[in-house]
Amino acid sequence: MGTGPTLSGIRLPTTPLDWLRWAFGAVIAGLIYYAFWVQIVEYSIAYRLSCYQWLVSHWHNVSNYSHGPLIPLIAVGIVWLKGRGLWEAEVRPVTRGAWIIGAAMIIYYLGVKAVQPRVVVFSFVILLYGLVLTLAGREVFRFLFFPITFLMLMIPLNFLDSLVGFPLQILMAKVSTGVLNWLGIETVRIGTSIRSAVFDFDVANPCSGIRSLMAMTTVTAAFAYITQDKLWKRWFLFLCAIPLAVLGNMARVVGIALVGQVYGQGPAMQAHDYSGFIVFGVALVAMVAIGILLNFPYRRIVESWLKPVVESPEPVGSKLE
């Protein structure tokens, strides 16, 4: 910690210069509000949407991103968890942060002109980087870097559905077929279909894992940042989102197939409609288990095992003559 002013030391304006600074800050806040909450970034004959409206419409209409509204709330929660450390961080503005603000403005301009709302949302995150650096400095920026970066997960990336969705469908069908055959249920895979003598299922795009992958990426990023103390552990747990999503969906597909094997096709399809909780249940349990294993004090336990036992010296005169 430095010896300069801190966030907790910020007070209401008392001098004309202070009032001028606060007025300038209010103008900046107003411009930001207009740019991202009012300015039209996507339009057609039927609708005209601002950046905020575009995000909300995607969160509500694209099921893969229905968790989007939670991301800003989680980011705020992470900032709150910083607690005293953030409020006691030294405020020392960095003038070079203005270059980042300038870059954000260029990205915003290009996004609006090219009618690319995703680029506009991205410019908002870059703008936050620049504002924190310019107004508060490096120490505050270090505390807020992850919560700001976390906001990038709220950007809908629909093009991943075609790039990742179909390969995940094939993978899910292959893995589930292998597990079912290992369990003694004879099945064959034809494309994305899993067939046996009793049931015939198709691993559709919603069951491929793309939806749970997006949600698990968000959950593991926050969980890793909060629970892990080293950068490599955080990255390792974050990258586990992919196999965790596959594991959760495999449990769902195999579970539905088991119901179909025992009760038939009809009950299995009914189980499909209520089996979404299996995905997150299995994935979340596995995520927590990995987090515990990463924090397990292996070295301390091994050292305690290898440490020789030192016998306490026998007190003089303790033996009977």
Side-chain angles (χ1 to χ4, degrees):
M1 295 293 177
T3 57
T6 62
L7 289 179
S8 60
I10 296 177
R11 298 290 185 266
L12 292 175
T14 56
T15 66
L17 182 59
D18 289 339
W19 280 106
L20 183 61
R21 290 172 177 171
W22 278 69
F24 181 68
V27 170
I28 293 177
L31 291 174
I32 294 174
Y33 176 81
Y34 177 83
F36 295 98
W37 274 263
V38 179
Q39 172 66 41
I40 303 301
V41 299
E42 187 175 67
Y43 53 86
S44 69
I45 298 176
Y47 60 84
R48 295 167 64 86
L49 300 177
S50 67
C51 179
Y52 171 76
Q53 292 170 332
W54 178 83
L55 268 179
V56 172
S57 67
H58 272 68
W59 292 342
H60 288 173
N61 300 325
V62 182
S63 58
N64 292 346
Y65 294 92
S66 57
H67 63 284
L70 296 177
I71 294 177
L73 297 178
I74 295 174
V76 172
I78 293 173
V79 173
W80 179 78
L81 288 175
K82 290 295 182 180
R84 185 177 180 83
L86 174 60
W87 288 108
E88 296 302 324
E90 182 182 11
V91 176
R92 182 174 293 180
V94 178
T95 55
R96 283 178 292 183
W99 289 99
I100 300 178
I101 296 177
M105 293 173 65
I106 293 173
I107 296 172
Y108 174 85
Y109 175 80
L110 294 175
V112 172
K113 284 297 182 181
V115 194
Q116 294 294 324
R118 291 177 184 81
V119 177
V120 177
V121 180
F122 177 72
S123 72
F124 176 73
V125 178
I126 303 301
L127 179 62
L128 290 180
Y129 286 151
L131 288 174
V132 172
L133 266 176
T134 304
L135 300 177
R138 290 188 178 89
E139 193 168 332
V140 176
F141 179 78
R142 180 171 58 85
F143 278 98
L144 297 181
F145 175 76
F146 179 81
I148 295 175
T149 306
F150 187 77
L151 294 176
M152 289 190 181
L153 295 175
M154 71 182 178
I155 305 175
L157 303 175
N158 305 71
F159 59 86
L160 290 179
D161 293 357
S162 58
L163 293 177
V164 180
F166 183 70
L168 276 177
Q169 285 178 262
I170 297 295
L171 175 63
M172 195 60 54
K174 285 182 178 180
V175 173
S176 300
T177 301
V179 172
L180 288 170
N181 281 300
W182 179 76
L183 292 174
I185 301 174
E186 187 175 348
T187 57
V188 295
R189 181 186 66 87
I190 302 176
T192 59
S193 298
I194 302 175
R195 299 180 181 180
S196 76
V198 180
F199 58 79
D200 181 1
F201 300 135
D202 181 64
V203 181
N205 186 52
C207 297
S208 65
I210 185 66
R211 181 183 305 176
S212 58
L213 176 59
M214 299 302 174
M216 283 305 302
T217 300
T218 301
V219 174
T220 53
F223 181 77
Y225 181 77
I226 293 172
T227 61
Q228 305 303 313
D229 57 347
K230 295 186 181 299
L231 184 60
W232 73 266
K233 292 181 180 180
R234 292 173 177 174
W235 273 107
F236 179 83
L237 189 54
F238 175 71
L239 294 176
C240 282
I242 298 175
L244 288 175
V246 172
L247 176 65
N249 277 277
M250 182 202 69
R252 181 187 188 188
V253 173
V254 171
I256 294 171
L258 291 176
V259 173
Q261 183 69 20
V262 176
Y263 299 104
Q265 181 88 7
M269 298 311 297
Q270 294 178 358
H272 169 272
D273 298 334
Y274 300 98
S275 61
F277 70 93
I278 296 178
V279 177
F280 288 102
V282 173
L284 290 176
V285 169
M287 178 191 70
V288 173
I290 294 173
I292 293 174
L293 291 174
L294 287 174
N295 285 329
F296 196 75
Y298 299 100
R299 178 179 297 180
R300 188 170 57 191
I301 292 177
V302 172
E303 289 177 350
S304 66
W305 286 347
L306 298 178
K307 186 177 180 180
V309 178
V310 180
E311 296 183 359
S312 58
E314 190 174 359
V316 178
S318 60
K319 292 184 178 180
L320 296 176
E321 297 296 339

